[in-house]
């Protein structure tokens, strides 16, 4: 079963929605215009229940199947854009400098609206489909805000699925894997406090730059010496602030960076080793350090059974040859991870062809992917809620 005919028919309409959203990007939780657009469309489709303002600006629509009561499948899209100035020059480019849909969430929102329109028209399932539109995916934990507002309990969500477009994968293809598919993108700030003084008299100081420089190298032992070589961890020191001029050794040096892991076990290991290495090294030099380690969204872990369900729906749409079920994980983070902590489900990549990479000012969602994405959501919902 290829793309659904009705999904292909809807492509023009969904493309128009996508380009409207692209012209009007909104950031983090401030997605009032986008949320209103979504709610208005859901109402026009005859969606049974529409709840706005969940997780501040999230929207949920409930579509009841004509087969009667049953389980509820959650399908989730994200609505927010990025603080970036668009350089595509497209006719539908952002109207607002400094804001841009550079991660394709405009495409995600439009595709889920397309699926909602079809599912509300046909209702060939038992139970309910919950279409979930979240704010603040880009670093704002919007998924967690919706969960804390009762998303799962209020709508009795049994399973939840997410989808992200992926440049570099051809349009018409899908990619997924069991287990960790996106990383936990944690961050750290290390403040080393020594004792400043004259640069000509280092013996009268405790030099935090000297210690910090060693730390940049020593922290790489976590990846190269402490981790099982077949388990991934990436640690990057991305900022090093210290000092004022040529002849002063400063009191303090501040290092910032990111740690990305694909399992909670590696995540714990990385944090523990950072603490040990920092305290050991500064102790050896009689300095002090504080570590601010911020755990952001968890590892996005696909559940085994749900991964099979997602792959089956994608295969239905595109054929087995176009569904990679062992894709390499991405070391980027994904807020949908919070939902997979609460309910079984899976996150899939949908090919977006050779557009520029995500978060790039030249990126633009490829509308040719729309019929595939809409068909995937429909197939998944109908398969999971088959009568
Ligand atoms: Zn993004
Ligand atoms: Zn994204």
């Amino acid at each position: 079963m290829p793309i659904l005919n009705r999904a292909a028919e809807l492509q023009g309409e969904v493309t128009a929605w996508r380009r409207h959203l692209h012209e009007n990007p909104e950031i983090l939780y401030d997605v009032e215009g986008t949320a209103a657009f979504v709610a208005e469309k859901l109402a026009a489709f005859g969606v049974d229940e529409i709840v706005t303002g969940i997780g501040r600006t999230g929207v949920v629509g409930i579509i009841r199947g004509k087969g009667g009561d049953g389980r509820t499948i959650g399908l989730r899209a994200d609505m927010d854009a990025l603080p970036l100035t668009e350089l595509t020059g497209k006719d539908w480019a952002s109207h607002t400098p400094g804001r841009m849909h550079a991660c394709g969430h405009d495409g995600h929102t439009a595709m889920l609206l397309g699926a909602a329109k079809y599912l509300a028209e046909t209702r060939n399932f038992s139970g309910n489909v919950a279409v979930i539109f979240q704010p603040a995916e880009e670093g704002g934990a919007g998924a967690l805000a919706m969960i804390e507002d009762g998303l799962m309990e209020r709508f009795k969500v049994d399973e939840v699925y997410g989808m992200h477009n992926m440049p570099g994968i051809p349009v018409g293809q899908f990619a997924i894997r069991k287990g960790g598919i996106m990383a936990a993108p944690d961050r750290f700030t290390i403040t080393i406090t020594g004792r400043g003084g004259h640069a000509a008299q280092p013996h009268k100081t405790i030099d935090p730059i000297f210690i910090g420089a060693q730390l940049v190298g020593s922290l790489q032992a976590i990846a190269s010496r402490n981790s099982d070589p077949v388990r991934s961890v990436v640690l990057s020191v991305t900022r090093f602030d210290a000092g004022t001029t040529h002849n002063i050794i400063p009191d303090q040096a501040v290092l910032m960076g990111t740690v990305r892991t694909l399992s909670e076990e590696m995540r714990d290991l990385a944090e523990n080793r950072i603490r040990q290495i920092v305290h050991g090294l500064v102790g050896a030099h009689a300095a002090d350090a504080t570590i601010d380690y911020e755990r952001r969204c968890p590892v996005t872990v696909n559940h085994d059974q749900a991964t099979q369900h997602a792959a089956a729906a994608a295969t239905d749409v595109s054929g087995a040859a176009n569904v990679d079920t062992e894709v390499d994980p991405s070391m980027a983070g994904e807020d949908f991870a919070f939902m997979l902590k609460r309910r079984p489900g899976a996150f899939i990549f949908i090919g977006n062809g050779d557009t520029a990479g995500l978060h790039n000012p030249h990126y633009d969602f490829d509308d040719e992917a729309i019929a595939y994405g809409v068909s995937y959501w429909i197939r998944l919902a109908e398969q999971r809620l088959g009568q």
Side-chain angles (χ1 to χ4, degrees):
M1 174 74 65
I3 292 174
L4 279 85
N5 288 337
R6 182 72 180 120
E9 266 173 47
L10 287 171
Q11 174 144 343
E13 192 177 359
V14 178
T15 298
W17 300 338
R18 202 285 289 181
R19 292 180 182 180
H20 168 79
L21 295 171
H22 194 86
E23 287 176 347
N24 298 285
E26 297 177 295
I27 305 292
L28 286 169
Y29 286 96
D30 298 329
V31 292
E32 285 83 0
T34 307
F37 180 84
V38 165
E40 178 199 306
K41 292 289 172 215
L42 295 178
F45 306 157
V47 165
D48 300 281
E49 192 184 335
I50 301 160
V51 180
T52 58
I54 177 156
R56 289 158 66 176
T57 41
V59 181
V60 178
I62 300 294
I63 306 164
R64 298 198 180 92
K66 62 187 177 194
D69 289 346
R71 291 154 30 82
T72 297
I73 298 298
L75 310 178
R76 170 276 203 177
D78 37 17
M79 298 189 285
D80 58 320
L82 286 158
L84 188 69
T85 294
E86 179 158 0
L87 297 176
T88 65
K90 295 277 173 69
D91 289 346
W92 52 88
S94 170
H95 290 169
T96 312
R99 286 193 216 162
M100 177 189 175
H101 268 295
C103 205
H105 299 183
D106 49 342
H108 303 166
T109 296
M111 290 191 294
L112 188 55
L113 283 174
K117 177 164 184 170
Y118 174 98
L119 291 166
E121 277 172 9
T122 54
R123 301 178 185 263
N124 288 322
F125 53 91
S126 306
N128 310 302
V129 176
V131 287
I132 301 166
F133 297 87
Q134 78 153 80
E137 192 287 322
E138 298 287 1
L144 186 60
M146 289 188 84
I147 289 166
E148 288 175 345
D149 243 0
L151 173 69
M152 299 301 177
E153 298 76 20
R154 198 159 152 190
F155 303 102
K156 302 186 170 58
V157 177
D158 293 299
E159 292 176 28
V160 67
Y161 294 86
M163 172 161 60
H164 207 294
N165 80 92
M166 199 51 76
I169 297 177
V171 168
Q173 296 188 9
F174 291 87
I176 194 167
R177 67 178 292 116
K178 285 191 218 170
I181 187 165
M182 305 272 299
D186 296 339
R187 21 164 105 147
F188 60 83
T189 302
I190 300 164
T191 305
I192 302 166
T193 304
R195 187 171 62 242
H198 203 295
Q201 297 178 312
H203 59 292
K204 294 183 179 172
T205 73
I206 297 173
D207 182 355
I209 294 179
F210 176 71
I211 300 166
Q214 291 177 57
L215 198 52
V216 172
S218 299
L219 289 172
Q220 289 308 324
I222 296 169
S224 66
R225 301 293 88 185
N226 302 142
S227 306
D228 181 334
V230 301
R231 312 286 297 275
S232 303
V233 53
V234 177
L235 183 152
S236 296
V237 175
T238 55
R239 184 164 170 174
F240 190 143
D241 291 333
T244 52
T245 189
H246 297 82
N247 58 357
I248 300 170
I249 291 171
D251 274 321
Q252 280 195 335
V254 179
L255 280 65
M256 295 185 192
T258 184
V259 179
R260 286 153 188 250
T261 51
L262 289 165
S263 69
E264 291 301 325
E265 183 195 350
M266 292 302 292
R267 194 183 197 190
D268 290 342
L269 180 140
E271 182 179 350
N272 291 338
R273 287 297 295 146
I274 287 173
R275 293 187 186 283
Q276 287 170 339
I277 290 168
V278 169
H279 290 304
L281 194 71
V282 300
H285 294 286
D288 285 314
T290 57
I291 302 166
D292 178 13
Y293 191 93
E294 186 190 350
R295 289 196 170 216
R296 305 181 76 235
C297 69
V299 181
T300 303
V301 180
N302 278 342
H303 298 238
D304 288 2
Q305 282 272 302
T307 304
Q308 288 174 25
H309 301 320
T315 300
D316 232 14
V317 173
S318 289
N322 291 312
V323 181
D324 179 357
T325 55
E326 293 183 8
V327 69
D328 285 341
S330 159
M331 296 312 277
E334 168 57 56
D335 196 32
F336 184 65
F338 286 114
M339 296 199 185
L340 291 180
K341 280 269 197 189
R342 304 308 199 284
R343 290 294 183 272
F347 192 68
I348 197 166
F349 299 139
I350 179 170
N352 209 235
D354 55 10
T355 178
L358 300 173
H359 293 207
N360 182 300
H362 297 282
Y363 168 84
D364 188 35
F365 183 86
D366 186 340
D367 293 313
E368 291 306 308
I370 285 173
Y372 294 95
V374 172
S375 297
Y376 167 76
W377 281 137
I378 294 167
R379 279 286 160 224
L380 181 65
E382 290 183 345
Q383 283 179 5
R384 296 305 301 137
L385 298 173
Q387 290 178 53

